[in-house]
Amino acid sequence: MKHLLVCLSMLFCAVAVRAQVTLEQCKVWARDNYPVIKQYDLVEQGRRLTVANAAKAWLPQVGVSGSATYQSDVTAIPITLPDIDIPTIGKDQYDVNITINQQIYDGGTVASAKRMAEAQGDVDRRKVGVTMYDVNRRIDELFFGILMLDEQIAQIAVLQEDLSLSLVSVRAMVKGGVANQTDVDAVQVELVKACQRGTSLQTQRNTYRRMLETFTGVDFGDSVTFVKPSPDYDVMAANRRPELALYAAQDRLLDTRLDALDTDLRPRISLFARGGYGNPGLDMFNDGFEAYYKVGLTLTWNFGSLYTRANDRRKIEAERQTVRSERDAFLFNTRLQTEFRSGVIDDLKEQIRQDDEIIKLRRRIREKAEKRVANGTETVNEMLRDINAVIDAEVGKRLHEVQLLHEIYKVKHLNNF
């Protein structure tokens, strides 16, 4: 039922938001669609079964046993009394019995096993979370790749429009004797090259889109618009990476293993009831089959774990130091990457500021070039060069803006916020 609701939700979203798709929507769809998400249910199912099995130790334990033996000699009373027949024990003996044991104190073994199952289940869930975290990174790469291609495609469309207008102008100039057919051909060559580049970019975009569809399980179609995410971010926000939760879960698991060492030193107490039928019964001198029963209390106390306790504790502490060392290294590397990305963000902001100045100057140069061509003091090829320079500058700015967004989300991804 749960999977059906997820599928219906994804189908509804695919229809309802076909016009616009956000990065967060893609991440949600990818988490629902990615095969590893099924491991969450498997981990939880395994945890429940392990806990249930541990709890069954409190159920009465029933055992059936039987034996038939013949021995070479038996105990005998070494005296003889007149007129008294001293019984002897038969050399062949038979016994069938049923024994029921009910544990009443286990030293905390069952509770410890339950805690360990819970802790291990938590570790396994955190591992799945780390895997799913990497899915978000891949969604980021595909989504921002599409946004960068969209910006280039949009600018190519502007270039094609400009070249089309220039083609009309040059043809008019040919009629006026200011230009010739070679100039017309030069503009058409640039127009064809722009169309060729636009086709190549669209092909790349379709490839990225299909890969994103594979991850999300949603058919976006050709008409969907991918929305730029918000640029807001806080570099100083607390790190909430799933790896940190995994390290904490591993630390808790080691705590439960350490506690389990104490349970090995405690006694076990249980009640038992045994009923049987054998020859002899409880009266060893009665040669014949008879039924019998026993009830009682048993206590067992095994001190064997004392021999390995110190080494077991040192081993667990060594594993704890390994986990903490990995955690410290992870935090150190994350801080380094965050600082590096912050520097890249500052650099891109400065580049965007300079892009505005470059675009303004390129447009001014282009306007003068168009006037000189109209006056016959400059060639069409020189004007085309200036047109392309304006488009390149505008494309550069748009790409820097998308790159800035991408870097911001890389920082968000580094800190999982």
Side-chain angles (χ1 to χ4, degrees):
M1 185 64 182
K2 176 182 176 183
H3 296 297
L4 177 60
L5 292 175
V6 169
C7 292
L8 291 175
S9 175
M10 292 173 62
L11 179 61
F12 173 76
C13 292
V15 175
V17 300
R18 184 165 299 277
Q20 292 185 331
V21 171
T22 66
L23 177 60
E24 292 306 317
Q25 286 174 327
C26 288
K27 289 181 178 180
V28 171
W29 291 331
R31 286 193 292 269
D32 291 338
N33 182 64
Y34 202 61
V36 77
I37 199 67
K38 297 177 182 177
Q39 293 183 21
Y40 277 118
D41 292 336
L42 296 177
V43 167
E44 179 60 21
Q45 182 180 355
R47 182 199 64 79
R48 288 197 304 267
L49 292 175
T50 302
V51 171
N53 285 340
K56 284 179 170 46
W58 287 107
L59 296 177
Q61 306 297 310
V62 180
V64 177
S65 65
S67 65
T69 63
Y70 182 86
Q71 55 197 63
S72 61
D73 200 2
V74 293
T75 302
I77 299 176
I79 59 175
T80 304
L81 298 175
D83 301 325
I84 297 177
D85 185 15
I86 300 176
T88 59
I89 302 173
K91 293 183 177 180
D92 58 325
Q93 299 181 6
Y94 309 91
D95 181 65
V96 176
N97 65 76
I98 297 176
T99 302
I100 301 175
N101 282 287
Q102 174 61 60
Q103 190 166 248
I104 59 176
Y105 178 69
D106 69 342
T109 302
V110 171
S112 177
K114 287 182 178 180
R115 288 194 298 269
M116 195 170 298
E118 294 284 357
Q120 184 62 58
D122 192 28
V123 169
D124 293 338
R125 284 193 298 271
R126 301 301 181 183
K127 287 180 179 179
V128 177
V130 171
T131 302
M132 292 306 301
Y133 167 82
D134 188 59
V135 173
N136 288 341
R137 179 188 61 79
R138 298 166 76 176
I139 294 298
D140 280 351
E141 296 295 331
L142 291 173
F143 194 91
F144 282 103
I146 291 174
L147 290 182
M148 293 185 72
L149 289 168
D150 283 343
E151 295 295 342
Q152 295 178 72
I153 291 171
Q155 290 304 112
I156 288 296
V158 173
L159 175 60
Q160 290 172 339
E161 184 178 352
D162 287 348
L163 290 173
S164 297
L165 294 174
S166 297
L167 183 60
V168 173
S169 298
V170 172
R171 282 174 175 167
M173 292 166 61
V174 169
K175 292 180 181 180
V178 180
N180 54 46
Q181 185 60 40
T182 301
D183 295 325
V184 173
D185 293 342
V187 177
Q188 288 180 324
V189 167
E190 292 298 321
L191 188 57
V192 172
K193 288 169 63 177
C195 291
Q196 186 181 49
R197 187 179 174 192
T199 301
S200 176
L201 291 172
Q202 188 62 51
T203 300
Q204 294 180 51
R205 185 188 188 277
N206 290 338
T207 300
Y208 274 63
R209 191 203 72 217
R210 286 194 294 270
M211 293 175 66
L212 193 58
E213 288 174 343
T214 300
F215 267 100
T216 60
V218 178
D219 183 7
F220 297 121
D222 297 326
S223 60
V224 71
T225 300
F226 293 92
V227 182
K228 288 183 182 179
S230 169
D232 298 332
Y233 79 108
D234 179 9
V235 176
M236 302 305 295
N239 194 325
R240 298 197 298 270
R241 286 279 291 272
E243 289 90 343
L244 295 179
L246 173 59
Y247 294 137
Q250 289 174 333
D251 204 51
R252 290 191 295 272
L253 176 60
L254 292 173
D255 286 337
T256 61
R257 288 174 54 189
L258 200 60
D259 292 339
L261 295 179
D262 295 333
T263 64
D264 293 337
L265 295 177
R266 296 169 187 162
R268 273 69 170 160
I269 302 174
S270 62
L271 295 172
F272 77 91
R274 178 179 300 163
Y277 185 74
N279 180 17
L282 296 181
D283 183 359
M284 298 187 63
F285 292 99
N286 183 13
D287 187 15
F289 284 90
E290 64 178 5
Y292 66 90
Y293 73 90
K294 289 182 179 180
V295 294
L297 187 72
T298 61
L299 182 146
T300 58
W301 203 337
N302 190 346
F303 298 97
S305 60
L306 283 173
Y307 303 132
T308 60
R309 179 180 175 80
N311 287 338
D312 289 338
R313 289 181 65 89
R314 282 194 288 267
K315 181 180 178 182
I316 292 173
E317 289 304 325
E319 292 181 30
R320 191 190 305 279
Q321 290 303 317
T322 299
V323 170
R324 291 179 178 176
S325 176
E326 291 177 354
R327 180 181 182 277
D328 292 341
F330 170 77
L331 288 173
F332 177 79
N333 291 330
T334 302
R335 283 196 300 270
L336 284 182
Q337 293 178 58
T338 301
E339 291 172 2
F340 172 76
R341 294 297 174 194
S342 298
V344 174
I345 288 172
D346 293 337
D347 179 61
L348 285 169
K349 287 180 178 179
E350 180 62 22
Q351 289 188 52
I352 291 172
R353 187 190 66 78
Q354 295 174 349
D355 285 337
D356 290 331
E357 185 66 21
I358 293 172
I359 292 172
K360 183 171 66 175
L361 294 173
R362 286 295 185 187
R363 285 175 177 171
R364 188 182 304 168
I365 294 172
R366 170 185 168 175
E367 291 171 359
K368 292 180 179 179
E370 290 174 342
K371 291 178 182 179
R372 286 195 295 269
V373 170
N375 294 331
T377 58
E378 186 174 296
T379 65
V380 171
N381 282 331
E382 291 173 322
M383 181 190 69
L384 292 174
R385 179 196 61 200
D386 293 330
I387 292 175
N388 285 328
V390 173
I391 296 299
D392 288 342
E394 291 176 342
V395 169
K397 179 187 176 182
R398 288 177 175 268
L399 291 182
H400 287 154
E401 289 174 341
V402 176
Q403 287 172 357
L404 175 61
L405 276 176
H406 195 184
E407 291 298 327
I408 288 173
Y409 272 78
K410 283 181 180 178
V411 173
K412 288 186 174 184
H413 185 71
L414 280 172
N415 295 281
N416 197 35
F417 65 92

